[in-house]
Structure formats: structure tokens, C-alpha cells
Amino acid sequence: MFKFTRLIGLFRALVLILPAALAACNTTAAPPPPTAAAPAVDPVTAERYAAVNTDKYPVPGVDPTTLKPRNVRQLVDYATSERPGTIVVDTNARFIYLVQEGGKALRYGVGVGKEGLEFKGTATVNHKAQWPRWTPTPDMIRREPERYRKWAGGMDGGTDNPLGARALYLFKDGKDTLYRIHGTNEPETIGEAVSSGCIRMMNQDVIDLYSRVPAGSKVVVL
């Protein structure tokens, strides 16, 4: 009888232990790895490249998490013999410098022309335009007729216009160089060599530069 009672006790103990043992052997999916935190965005940068809805046409915002820090508009040390107010375009570094007092400059990231399509030398901002009309040059039409021929008569300003929100027209010795500093609706190209010879800026940056630079300003393209 004692043995039977002991067996009953062992059986009951097994009944209680078995679920726990099975649970311990059960394979469960490992918890997902923690999601990488989004990079911190400087609120000043986020505001600087936010959408502009007060202009003639809306300017889409630029996602600040996609901006390379080097391409963000900023005040930097800049040693130069050029007078304040001069625009210096460094096509190799892919920056525009607007020379300031005290050895400083406002620096903007830019996209530049493909090799062989760049202008080099000194020019003047002959005039400026908001939401400029764009017409491809004869050379552009000759190089890529399928892309440019349909715009031989020009394209009105607007959000799809490749000159973007503003343009500065560069002349040398009173003649149009056909070289422009202008906005772009492709901010991802800033820092690259992609344009047909002109200097492209993010629309938020070219609006800023336009507001600071009067017609007649000197431009040095290195």
C-alpha cells in the first residue's frame, strides 16, 4: 500500500512538472533586434531646408536626414583676397562661397557641370530671375536631341523647370556666358558633376543667395 501511494505521488508530481518541462524545451522566436535610431537632425538645418509655401510656386522640403553635412549652408572660415560680396565657385570642391567680412564666407554645397562643360574665369551677375524660363542651348540640343529638342522654344518657370526657383545669369565682357547659378528640383544631385555646365543649388539655398547678391556682383569660377 505504501508503495502504491508513493507511486501515485510520483505520478502527480510528473503531471505538474511535465508542462513546465515541455515549455522549457519549446523554441520561441528571438526578439527582433532593436531598430537603429534615426540620425539626430539639427532643428536649424531642418527649418532651413523645410518646404517653402509662400513663394510663387511651392518649394518642396528637403529631407534633412538625407543631407550630407558638407552640403548644408553654413558660415565658414575662408581666406581670400576677394572683396566681401564676391561669389567664388569652387568646382573641384563643389562649393559656392559668398565672401563675408572678417575672413568668413557663407558656404553652399552645389552640383557642377560634367567635365568639359564648365566655365572657368571671372564673370558678373548681369541679372537675376525668380522662377526663370529655361531654354536649352544649341549645344545641349545637339548633344542630346531626344531629351532637349522638345524644349527648343523654352519652358516656363515652375516646379518642373530645371532652373528651379531662382537663377543668376553670368556675363563676361558684356556677353552671355550661357552659364547660370540656379536652383534644382533634384536636391540629391548636390555635390555631384551632373549638369550641362551650370552650377545648381538646392532651391532653399539659391533663394537665400539670390536675396544676398545684387546684379553687378563679381563671380569667380575656379
mmCIF file of all heavy atoms in Angstrom, residues 93-135:
data_model
loop_
_atom_site.group_PDB
_atom_site.id
_atom_site.type_symbol
_atom_site.label_atom_id
_atom_site.label_comp_id
_atom_site.label_asym_id
_atom_site.label_seq_id
_atom_site.Cartn_x
_atom_site.Cartn_y
_atom_site.Cartn_z
ATOM 1 N N ALA A 93 35.888 71.417 -55.413
ATOM 2 C CA ALA A 93 35.341 71.075 -54.094
ATOM 3 C C ALA A 93 33.821 71.014 -54.109
ATOM 4 O O ALA A 93 33.205 70.467 -53.207
ATOM 5 C CB ALA A 93 35.811 72.094 -53.062
ATOM 6 N N ARG A 94 33.209 71.632 -55.120
ATOM 7 C CA ARG A 94 31.759 71.675 -55.286
ATOM 8 C C ARG A 94 31.093 72.483 -54.180
ATOM 9 O O ARG A 94 30.170 72.031 -53.502
ATOM 10 C CB ARG A 94 31.184 70.264 -55.424
ATOM 11 C CG ARG A 94 31.713 69.623 -56.701
ATOM 12 C CD ARG A 94 31.418 68.166 -56.848
ATOM 13 N NE ARG A 94 32.177 67.631 -57.972
ATOM 14 C CZ ARG A 94 32.246 66.354 -58.302
ATOM 15 N NH1 ARG A 94 31.574 65.462 -57.607
ATOM 16 N NH2 ARG A 94 32.969 65.966 -59.333
ATOM 17 N N PHE A 95 31.615 73.712 -54.055
ATOM 18 C CA PHE A 95 31.067 74.683 -53.127
ATOM 19 C C PHE A 95 30.942 76.036 -53.810
ATOM 20 O O PHE A 95 31.715 76.362 -54.714
ATOM 21 C CB PHE A 95 31.978 74.874 -51.907
ATOM 22 C CG PHE A 95 32.050 73.698 -50.972
ATOM 23 C CD1 PHE A 95 33.285 73.196 -50.582
ATOM 24 C CD2 PHE A 95 30.903 73.112 -50.456
ATOM 25 C CE1 PHE A 95 33.375 72.126 -49.718
ATOM 26 C CE2 PHE A 95 30.988 72.034 -49.582
ATOM 27 C CZ PHE A 95 32.224 71.541 -49.209
ATOM 28 N N ILE A 96 29.981 76.819 -53.352
ATOM 29 C CA ILE A 96 29.942 78.259 -53.606
ATOM 30 C C ILE A 96 30.259 78.951 -52.289
ATOM 31 O O ILE A 96 29.725 78.579 -51.230
ATOM 32 C CB ILE A 96 28.566 78.712 -54.125
ATOM 33 C CG1 ILE A 96 28.464 78.503 -55.640
ATOM 34 C CG2 ILE A 96 28.302 80.174 -53.787
ATOM 35 C CD1 ILE A 96 27.149 78.936 -56.235
ATOM 36 N N TYR A 97 31.140 79.945 -52.363
ATOM 37 C CA TYR A 97 31.448 80.776 -51.206
ATOM 38 C C TYR A 97 30.963 82.201 -51.499
ATOM 39 O O TYR A 97 31.324 82.779 -52.529
ATOM 40 C CB TYR A 97 32.950 80.819 -50.944
ATOM 41 C CG TYR A 97 33.556 79.492 -50.566
ATOM 42 C CD1 TYR A 97 34.089 78.643 -51.536
ATOM 43 C CD2 TYR A 97 33.606 79.079 -49.231
ATOM 44 C CE1 TYR A 97 34.655 77.424 -51.195
ATOM 45 C CE2 TYR A 97 34.169 77.856 -48.887
ATOM 46 C CZ TYR A 97 34.687 77.037 -49.870
ATOM 47 O OH TYR A 97 35.248 75.832 -49.527
ATOM 48 N N LEU A 98 30.185 82.748 -50.614
ATOM 49 C CA LEU A 98 29.832 84.162 -50.677
ATOM 50 C C LEU A 98 30.692 84.855 -49.632
ATOM 51 O O LEU A 98 30.484 84.686 -48.416
ATOM 52 C CB LEU A 98 28.342 84.372 -50.396
ATOM 53 C CG LEU A 98 27.878 85.827 -50.388
ATOM 54 C CD1 LEU A 98 28.161 86.508 -51.727
ATOM 55 C CD2 LEU A 98 26.393 85.916 -50.053
ATOM 56 N N VAL A 99 31.685 85.601 -50.103
ATOM 57 C CA VAL A 99 32.689 86.174 -49.214
ATOM 58 C C VAL A 99 32.050 87.193 -48.273
ATOM 59 O O VAL A 99 31.269 88.047 -48.698
ATOM 60 C CB VAL A 99 33.817 86.831 -50.039
ATOM 61 C CG1 VAL A 99 34.871 87.441 -49.111
ATOM 62 C CG2 VAL A 99 34.464 85.812 -50.983
ATOM 63 N N GLN A 100 32.408 87.076 -46.977
ATOM 64 C CA GLN A 100 31.929 87.971 -45.937
ATOM 65 C C GLN A 100 33.098 88.758 -45.343
ATOM 66 O O GLN A 100 34.261 88.524 -45.674
ATOM 67 C CB GLN A 100 31.243 87.164 -44.820
ATOM 68 C CG GLN A 100 30.168 86.209 -45.292
ATOM 69 C CD GLN A 100 28.907 86.894 -45.736
ATOM 70 O OE1 GLN A 100 28.218 87.509 -44.923
ATOM 71 N NE2 GLN A 100 28.580 86.796 -47.022
ATOM 72 N N GLU A 101 32.794 89.646 -44.461
ATOM 73 C CA GLU A 101 33.825 90.372 -43.723
ATOM 74 C C GLU A 101 34.542 89.437 -42.740
ATOM 75 O O GLU A 101 33.998 88.407 -42.342
ATOM 76 C CB GLU A 101 33.190 91.529 -42.926
ATOM 77 C CG GLU A 101 32.468 92.565 -43.768
ATOM 78 C CD GLU A 101 33.416 93.573 -44.396
ATOM 79 O OE1 GLU A 101 34.633 93.487 -44.134
ATOM 80 O OE2 GLU A 101 32.921 94.438 -45.144
ATOM 81 N N GLY A 102 35.763 89.828 -42.358
ATOM 82 C CA GLY A 102 36.450 89.143 -41.265
ATOM 83 C C GLY A 102 36.936 87.744 -41.572
ATOM 84 O O GLY A 102 36.993 86.905 -40.667
ATOM 85 N N GLY A 103 37.292 87.476 -42.836
ATOM 86 C CA GLY A 103 37.824 86.157 -43.165
ATOM 87 C C GLY A 103 36.806 85.032 -43.116
ATOM 88 O O GLY A 103 37.154 83.870 -42.886
ATOM 89 N N LYS A 104 35.552 85.369 -43.339
ATOM 90 C CA LYS A 104 34.479 84.379 -43.322
ATOM 91 C C LYS A 104 33.801 84.318 -44.684
ATOM 92 O O LYS A 104 33.955 85.203 -45.525
ATOM 93 C CB LYS A 104 33.436 84.733 -42.257
ATOM 94 C CG LYS A 104 33.966 84.777 -40.829
ATOM 95 C CD LYS A 104 34.235 83.384 -40.290
ATOM 96 C CE LYS A 104 34.612 83.430 -38.827
ATOM 97 N NZ LYS A 104 34.850 82.075 -38.264
ATOM 98 N N ALA A 105 33.040 83.259 -44.888
ATOM 99 C CA ALA A 105 32.223 83.133 -46.093
ATOM 100 C C ALA A 105 31.025 82.256 -45.786
ATOM 101 O O ALA A 105 31.098 81.349 -44.937
ATOM 102 C CB ALA A 105 33.031 82.532 -47.241
ATOM 103 N N LEU A 106 29.924 82.549 -46.446
ATOM 104 C CA LEU A 106 28.789 81.628 -46.434
ATOM 105 C C LEU A 106 29.073 80.562 -47.491
ATOM 106 O O LEU A 106 29.346 80.891 -48.645
ATOM 107 C CB LEU A 106 27.493 82.354 -46.779
ATOM 108 C CG LEU A 106 26.747 83.005 -45.630
ATOM 109 C CD1 LEU A 106 25.541 83.773 -46.173
ATOM 110 C CD2 LEU A 106 26.288 81.970 -44.613
ATOM 111 N N ARG A 107 29.035 79.310 -47.075
ATOM 112 C CA ARG A 107 29.356 78.224 -47.999
ATOM 113 C C ARG A 107 28.100 77.415 -48.303
ATOM 114 O O ARG A 107 27.327 77.073 -47.409
ATOM 115 C CB ARG A 107 30.418 77.299 -47.389
ATOM 116 C CG ARG A 107 30.991 76.311 -48.382
ATOM 117 C CD ARG A 107 31.994 75.400 -47.692
ATOM 118 N NE ARG A 107 31.311 74.371 -46.907
ATOM 119 C CZ ARG A 107 31.956 73.486 -46.123
ATOM 120 N NH1 ARG A 107 33.272 73.546 -46.022
ATOM 121 N NH2 ARG A 107 31.275 72.584 -45.449
ATOM 122 N N TYR A 108 27.913 77.133 -49.592
ATOM 123 C CA TYR A 108 26.765 76.347 -50.063
ATOM 124 C C TYR A 108 27.287 75.145 -50.850
ATOM 125 O O TYR A 108 28.168 75.289 -51.695
ATOM 126 C CB TYR A 108 25.886 77.169 -51.005
ATOM 127 C CG TYR A 108 25.411 78.507 -50.507
ATOM 128 C CD1 TYR A 108 26.239 79.629 -50.559
ATOM 129 C CD2 TYR A 108 24.113 78.677 -50.034
ATOM 130 C CE1 TYR A 108 25.789 80.882 -50.148
ATOM 131 C CE2 TYR A 108 23.645 79.929 -49.624
ATOM 132 C CZ TYR A 108 24.494 81.018 -49.670
ATOM 133 O OH TYR A 108 24.049 82.258 -49.264
ATOM 134 N N GLY A 109 26.701 73.976 -50.630
ATOM 135 C CA GLY A 109 27.006 72.833 -51.478
ATOM 136 C C GLY A 109 26.327 72.987 -52.826
ATOM 137 O O GLY A 109 25.188 73.469 -52.909
ATOM 138 N N VAL A 110 27.017 72.583 -53.897
ATOM 139 C CA VAL A 110 26.462 72.738 -55.246
ATOM 140 C C VAL A 110 26.727 71.494 -56.086
ATOM 141 O O VAL A 110 27.592 70.683 -55.774
ATOM 142 C CB VAL A 110 27.066 73.970 -55.969
ATOM 143 C CG1 VAL A 110 26.763 75.241 -55.207
ATOM 144 C CG2 VAL A 110 28.578 73.816 -56.169
ATOM 145 N N GLY A 111 25.973 71.367 -57.160
ATOM 146 C CA GLY A 111 26.274 70.409 -58.215
ATOM 147 C C GLY A 111 26.938 71.164 -59.357
ATOM 148 O O GLY A 111 26.644 72.348 -59.580
ATOM 149 N N VAL A 112 27.833 70.509 -60.053
ATOM 150 C CA VAL A 112 28.607 71.191 -61.099
ATOM 151 C C VAL A 112 28.448 70.484 -62.434
ATOM 152 O O VAL A 112 27.890 69.395 -62.522
ATOM 153 C CB VAL A 112 30.103 71.271 -60.717
ATOM 154 C CG1 VAL A 112 30.273 72.026 -59.408
ATOM 155 C CG2 VAL A 112 30.724 69.881 -60.601
ATOM 156 N N GLY A 113 28.982 71.120 -63.475
ATOM 157 C CA GLY A 113 28.887 70.563 -64.810
ATOM 158 C C GLY A 113 29.820 69.376 -64.999
ATOM 159 O O GLY A 113 30.841 69.239 -64.323
ATOM 160 N N LYS A 114 29.455 68.533 -65.941
ATOM 161 C CA LYS A 114 30.312 67.412 -66.301
ATOM 162 C C LYS A 114 31.618 67.933 -66.894
ATOM 163 O O LYS A 114 31.700 69.056 -67.392
ATOM 164 C CB LYS A 114 29.609 66.514 -67.322
ATOM 165 C CG LYS A 114 28.336 65.875 -66.804
ATOM 166 C CD LYS A 114 27.645 65.107 -67.909
ATOM 167 C CE LYS A 114 26.317 64.524 -67.427
ATOM 168 N NZ LYS A 114 25.596 63.837 -68.511
ATOM 169 N N GLU A 115 32.633 67.095 -66.823
ATOM 170 C CA GLU A 115 33.943 67.502 -67.335
ATOM 171 C C GLU A 115 33.827 67.959 -68.790
ATOM 172 O O GLU A 115 33.198 67.314 -69.618
ATOM 173 C CB GLU A 115 34.920 66.330 -67.237
ATOM 174 C CG GLU A 115 36.343 66.677 -67.626
ATOM 175 C CD GLU A 115 37.296 65.512 -67.442
ATOM 176 O OE1 GLU A 115 36.862 64.445 -66.990
ATOM 177 O OE2 GLU A 115 38.473 65.675 -67.773
ATOM 178 N N GLY A 116 34.448 69.103 -69.060
ATOM 179 C CA GLY A 116 34.422 69.635 -70.409
ATOM 180 C C GLY A 116 33.275 70.580 -70.674
ATOM 181 O O GLY A 116 33.201 71.200 -71.729
ATOM 182 N N LEU A 117 32.369 70.726 -69.691
ATOM 183 C CA LEU A 117 31.221 71.601 -69.886
ATOM 184 C C LEU A 117 31.258 72.817 -68.960
ATOM 185 O O LEU A 117 30.313 73.588 -68.920
ATOM 186 C CB LEU A 117 29.918 70.826 -69.641
ATOM 187 C CG LEU A 117 29.660 69.629 -70.559
ATOM 188 C CD1 LEU A 117 28.372 68.931 -70.144
ATOM 189 C CD2 LEU A 117 29.569 70.070 -72.005
ATOM 190 N N GLU A 118 32.342 72.959 -68.186
ATOM 191 C CA GLU A 118 32.384 74.012 -67.189
ATOM 192 C C GLU A 118 32.923 75.315 -67.757
ATOM 193 O O GLU A 118 33.732 75.322 -68.675
ATOM 194 C CB GLU A 118 33.264 73.597 -66.002
ATOM 195 C CG GLU A 118 32.950 72.244 -65.391
ATOM 196 C CD GLU A 118 33.859 71.148 -65.920
ATOM 197 O OE1 GLU A 118 34.343 71.287 -67.051
ATOM 198 O OE2 GLU A 118 34.072 70.170 -65.196
ATOM 199 N N PHE A 119 32.457 76.409 -67.174
ATOM 200 C CA PHE A 119 33.039 77.723 -67.424
ATOM 201 C C PHE A 119 34.073 77.991 -66.339
ATOM 202 O O PHE A 119 33.872 77.641 -65.172
ATOM 203 C CB PHE A 119 31.939 78.778 -67.381
ATOM 204 C CG PHE A 119 32.453 80.191 -67.327
ATOM 205 C CD1 PHE A 119 32.831 80.853 -68.484
ATOM 206 C CD2 PHE A 119 32.563 80.854 -66.111
ATOM 207 C CE1 PHE A 119 33.308 82.164 -68.428
ATOM 208 C CE2 PHE A 119 33.035 82.154 -66.050
ATOM 209 C CZ PHE A 119 33.409 82.810 -67.219
ATOM 210 N N LYS A 120 35.178 78.613 -66.688
ATOM 211 C CA LYS A 120 36.201 78.998 -65.710
ATOM 212 C C LYS A 120 36.562 80.456 -65.951
ATOM 213 O O LYS A 120 36.611 80.911 -67.094
ATOM 214 C CB LYS A 120 37.455 78.121 -65.857
ATOM 215 C CG LYS A 120 37.234 76.629 -65.606
ATOM 216 C CD LYS A 120 36.999 76.349 -64.144
ATOM 217 C CE LYS A 120 36.723 74.873 -63.891
ATOM 218 N NZ LYS A 120 37.884 74.024 -64.138
ATOM 219 N N GLY A 121 36.831 81.190 -64.883
ATOM 220 C CA GLY A 121 37.255 82.568 -65.020
ATOM 221 C C GLY A 121 36.400 83.510 -64.194
ATOM 222 O O GLY A 121 35.729 83.099 -63.238
ATOM 223 N N THR A 122 36.419 84.780 -64.563
ATOM 224 C CA THR A 122 35.710 85.827 -63.832
ATOM 225 C C THR A 122 34.524 86.321 -64.660
ATOM 226 O O THR A 122 34.639 86.511 -65.867
ATOM 227 C CB THR A 122 36.655 87.004 -63.533
ATOM 228 O OG1 THR A 122 37.767 86.524 -62.769
ATOM 229 C CG2 THR A 122 35.944 88.084 -62.731
ATOM 230 N N ALA A 123 33.411 86.501 -63.995
ATOM 231 C CA ALA A 123 32.197 86.974 -64.669
ATOM 232 C C ALA A 123 31.463 87.932 -63.743
ATOM 233 O O ALA A 123 31.923 88.227 -62.627
ATOM 234 C CB ALA A 123 31.314 85.790 -65.054
ATOM 235 N N THR A 124 30.323 88.392 -64.202
ATOM 236 C CA THR A 124 29.486 89.314 -63.430
ATOM 237 C C THR A 124 28.048 88.810 -63.456
ATOM 238 O O THR A 124 27.594 88.255 -64.465
ATOM 239 C CB THR A 124 29.537 90.726 -64.047
ATOM 240 O OG1 THR A 124 30.884 91.193 -64.034
ATOM 241 C CG2 THR A 124 28.663 91.700 -63.276
ATOM 242 N N VAL A 125 27.351 88.989 -62.337
ATOM 243 C CA VAL A 125 25.914 88.700 -62.328
ATOM 244 C C VAL A 125 25.234 89.819 -63.109
ATOM 245 O O VAL A 125 25.057 90.932 -62.608
ATOM 246 C CB VAL A 125 25.363 88.624 -60.893
ATOM 247 C CG1 VAL A 125 23.849 88.394 -60.929
ATOM 248 C CG2 VAL A 125 26.054 87.519 -60.106
ATOM 249 N N ASN A 126 24.883 89.534 -64.352
ATOM 250 C CA ASN A 126 24.265 90.555 -65.202
ATOM 251 C C ASN A 126 22.837 90.849 -64.753
ATOM 252 O O ASN A 126 22.424 92.000 -64.669
ATOM 253 C CB ASN A 126 24.268 90.096 -66.651
ATOM 254 C CG ASN A 126 23.722 91.144 -67.603
ATOM 255 O OD1 ASN A 126 24.393 92.116 -67.906
ATOM 256 N ND2 ASN A 126 22.494 90.936 -68.075
ATOM 257 N N HIS A 127 22.084 89.793 -64.474
ATOM 258 C CA HIS A 127 20.727 89.964 -63.962
ATOM 259 C C HIS A 127 20.308 88.683 -63.242
ATOM 260 O O HIS A 127 20.994 87.660 -63.316
ATOM 261 C CB HIS A 127 19.736 90.304 -65.085
ATOM 262 C CG HIS A 127 19.624 89.258 -66.161
ATOM 263 N ND1 HIS A 127 20.556 89.108 -67.164
ATOM 264 C CD2 HIS A 127 18.668 88.315 -66.396
ATOM 265 C CE1 HIS A 127 20.193 88.118 -67.961
ATOM 266 N NE2 HIS A 127 19.057 87.623 -67.522
ATOM 267 N N LYS A 128 19.184 88.778 -62.545
ATOM 268 C CA LYS A 128 18.665 87.665 -61.759
ATOM 269 C C LYS A 128 17.204 87.440 -62.146
ATOM 270 O O LYS A 128 16.550 88.336 -62.667
ATOM 271 C CB LYS A 128 18.751 87.967 -60.259
ATOM 272 C CG LYS A 128 20.113 88.449 -59.783
ATOM 273 C CD LYS A 128 20.146 88.598 -58.260
ATOM 274 C CE LYS A 128 19.150 89.609 -57.766
ATOM 275 N NZ LYS A 128 19.172 89.750 -56.278
ATOM 276 N N ALA A 129 16.709 86.239 -61.855
ATOM 277 C CA ALA A 129 15.305 85.956 -62.169
ATOM 278 C C ALA A 129 14.714 85.003 -61.136
ATOM 279 O O ALA A 129 15.399 84.089 -60.660
ATOM 280 C CB ALA A 129 15.173 85.345 -63.560
ATOM 281 N N GLN A 130 13.448 85.251 -60.807
ATOM 282 C CA GLN A 130 12.695 84.333 -59.963
ATOM 283 C C GLN A 130 11.875 83.408 -60.854
ATOM 284 O O GLN A 130 11.239 83.844 -61.792
ATOM 285 C CB GLN A 130 11.768 85.110 -59.027
ATOM 286 C CG GLN A 130 12.495 86.076 -58.109
ATOM 287 C CD GLN A 130 11.565 86.721 -57.109
ATOM 288 O OE1 GLN A 130 10.590 86.125 -56.656
ATOM 289 N NE2 GLN A 130 11.860 87.964 -56.739
ATOM 290 N N TRP A 131 11.935 82.128 -60.548
ATOM 291 C CA TRP A 131 11.259 81.110 -61.345
ATOM 292 C C TRP A 131 11.497 81.353 -62.840
ATOM 293 O O TRP A 131 10.578 81.627 -63.614
ATOM 294 C CB TRP A 131 9.763 81.061 -61.015
ATOM 295 C CG TRP A 131 9.539 80.671 -59.593
ATOM 296 C CD1 TRP A 131 9.252 81.486 -58.547
ATOM 297 C CD2 TRP A 131 9.645 79.345 -59.043
ATOM 298 N NE1 TRP A 131 9.159 80.766 -57.384
ATOM 299 C CE2 TRP A 131 9.389 79.446 -57.660
ATOM 300 C CE3 TRP A 131 9.923 78.085 -59.591
ATOM 301 C CZ2 TRP A 131 9.407 78.339 -56.803
ATOM 302 C CZ3 TRP A 131 9.943 76.984 -58.743
ATOM 303 C CH2 TRP A 131 9.686 77.105 -57.372
ATOM 304 N N PRO A 132 12.760 81.279 -63.238
ATOM 305 C CA PRO A 132 13.149 81.681 -64.598
ATOM 306 C C PRO A 132 12.652 80.716 -65.667
ATOM 307 O O PRO A 132 12.444 79.528 -65.428
ATOM 308 C CB PRO A 132 14.677 81.657 -64.535
ATOM 309 C CG PRO A 132 14.983 80.627 -63.481
ATOM 310 C CD PRO A 132 13.910 80.798 -62.447
ATOM 311 N N ARG A 133 12.501 81.274 -66.842
ATOM 312 C CA ARG A 133 12.220 80.459 -68.032
ATOM 313 C C ARG A 133 13.522 79.791 -68.449
ATOM 314 O O ARG A 133 14.599 80.377 -68.359
ATOM 315 C CB ARG A 133 11.689 81.345 -69.158
ATOM 316 C CG ARG A 133 11.287 80.598 -70.416
ATOM 317 C CD ARG A 133 10.701 81.567 -71.446
ATOM 318 N NE ARG A 133 10.364 80.884 -72.676
ATOM 319 C CZ ARG A 133 9.250 80.185 -72.878
ATOM 320 N NH1 ARG A 133 8.355 80.119 -71.915
ATOM 321 N NH2 ARG A 133 9.005 79.594 -74.034
ATOM 322 N N TRP A 134 13.427 78.560 -68.900
ATOM 323 C CA TRP A 134 14.616 77.798 -69.295
ATOM 324 C C TRP A 134 14.541 77.409 -70.765
ATOM 325 O O TRP A 134 13.494 76.964 -71.243
ATOM 326 C CB TRP A 134 14.747 76.535 -68.454
ATOM 327 C CG TRP A 134 15.797 75.585 -68.930
ATOM 328 C CD1 TRP A 134 17.149 75.735 -68.828
ATOM 329 C CD2 TRP A 134 15.589 74.322 -69.571
ATOM 330 N NE1 TRP A 134 17.797 74.652 -69.360
ATOM 331 C CE2 TRP A 134 16.866 73.766 -69.830
ATOM 332 C CE3 TRP A 134 14.449 73.608 -69.954
ATOM 333 C CZ2 TRP A 134 17.035 72.536 -70.448
ATOM 334 C CZ3 TRP A 134 14.615 72.379 -70.567
ATOM 335 C CH2 TRP A 134 15.900 71.856 -70.817
ATOM 336 N N THR A 135 15.648 77.615 -71.471
ATOM 337 C CA THR A 135 15.762 77.176 -72.862
ATOM 338 C C THR A 135 17.094 76.457 -73.025
ATOM 339 O O THR A 135 18.144 77.022 -72.709
ATOM 340 C CB THR A 135 15.726 78.379 -73.828
ATOM 341 O OG1 THR A 135 14.520 79.118 -73.617
ATOM 342 C CG2 THR A 135 15.776 77.900 -75.271
#
